[in-house]
Amino acid sequence: MTIDRLGMVKVRHLQTIHSLGSYRNACRVVRQLIPYTNQVYQEKEKVIYLNKKGRDLVGSENEVNGISMLKHYTLRNEVYLHFNQPIDWKNEYTLETTVEPQRNVDIVIQGIKPASKRKVVADACFTRNGYVNIIEIDNTRDMADNRKKVQNYAEILPLVRKNLPGSPLLLFFTTTENRKQKLSTWLSEKGLPHKVMTYAEIN
């Protein structure tokens, strides 16, 4: 179900995804879902997400926690629509690997070599034209945290590349030209294949 898969959706998103015709008709459809959804507003636009009854109906365990993520969800939906609704789109995509330490007798404990896990959670991911498109949604995240995430990608992508179904391409979406420039610079410095766009460029 679209609402469950995307987490939170504007009426306008459902209107586009399901070809519901007029906005008025889309609102009529959404009214029929009232028993199964919670509704909030973002800049005068209605946004809905599944309540417990709705999750039980579709057999979902994906509970939306916190309206503080509202903007994040709706921005991610804009990117989903920008790419024409990829069929293999996955939200909160985890890249994870186990790193074996270098041989060192000093760190062998009872014959077991300690290993560490490295993990990065992308906001979304989909494949197209031989690329694994890794999506990052930047809104109000501190730029220091953005730089740290770029560093995390630089460390983990060489380790997981062989297990991916295509070449990784980082796609960052952000709010301003200034943030775009900084992200582009950091990604280039790390030699990561990427593209950075503002939301204004895709709307």
Side-chain angles (χ1 to χ4, degrees):
M1 183 180 184
T2 299
I3 303 173
D4 179 49
R5 184 154 57 94
L6 297 182
M8 305 180 82
V9 292
K10 293 181 179 181
V11 174
R12 176 171 56 81
H13 295 154
L14 291 176
Q15 178 188 7
T16 300
I17 293 168
H18 294 289
S19 302
L20 297 177
S22 68
Y23 186 80
R24 181 177 180 181
N25 184 60
C27 288
R28 181 186 63 80
V29 172
V30 167
R31 281 196 296 271
Q32 296 174 3
L33 300 176
I34 287 176
Y36 308 102
T37 59
N38 293 326
Q39 303 183 7
V40 294
Y41 284 87
Q42 179 189 22
E43 298 170 356
K44 298 184 179 180
E45 284 193 86
K46 184 180 291 185
V47 180
I48 65 174
Y49 59 100
L50 294 179
N51 58 23
K52 186 178 185 305
K53 187 175 180 180
R55 294 194 303 275
D56 290 345
L57 179 67
V58 300
S60 172
E61 297 179 356
N62 300 326
E63 183 176 0
V64 174
N65 293 313
I67 304 304
S68 61
M69 294 293 288
L70 172 61
K71 186 70 173 179
H72 180 85
Y73 277 100
T74 56
L75 286 174
R76 183 168 59 190
N77 292 347
E78 297 294 340
V79 175
Y80 172 71
L81 292 173
H82 170 71
F83 287 110
N84 297 315
Q85 308 163 46
I87 58 174
D88 63 344
W89 178 276
K90 296 180 181 67
N91 286 342
E92 307 303 322
Y93 185 80
T94 300
L95 297 164
E96 186 174 16
T97 189
T98 300
V99 180
E100 296 292 340
Q102 296 179 350
R103 291 182 61 85
N104 187 329
V105 294
D106 294 332
I107 61 173
V108 176
I109 304 173
Q110 295 181 350
I112 301 175
K113 293 190 300 181
S116 62
K117 285 189 175 181
R118 291 186 183 178
K119 179 172 74 172
V120 176
V121 180
D123 289 317
C125 183
F126 71 97
T127 59
R128 182 171 292 173
N129 299 327
Y131 289 96
V132 178
N133 297 278
I134 300 168
I135 307 296
E136 282 295 329
I137 303 298
D138 174 48
N139 181 28
T140 58
R141 184 189 295 157
D142 190 282
M143 289 306 286
D145 292 332
N146 275 328
R147 190 166 195 172
K148 182 178 180 180
K149 192 148 198 183
V150 169
Q151 176 62 36
N152 290 339
Y153 276 119
E155 293 174 0
I156 199 170
L157 283 179
L159 302 175
V160 302
R161 185 187 300 266
K162 64 181 180 180
N163 298 321
L164 296 175
S167 301
L169 176 63
L170 283 166
L171 300 173
F172 271 75
F173 294 85
T174 190
T175 52
T176 67
E177 287 295 328
N178 180 261
R179 291 170 79 92
K180 174 182 175 179
Q181 182 59 47
K182 287 182 178 179
L183 286 165
S184 295
T185 298
W186 296 335
L187 289 159
S188 295
E189 287 174 350
K190 296 299 181 181
L192 295 169
H194 68 276
K195 186 173 183 179
V196 185
M197 290 172 277
T198 64
Y199 299 110
E201 291 178 284
I202 66 172
N203 288 329

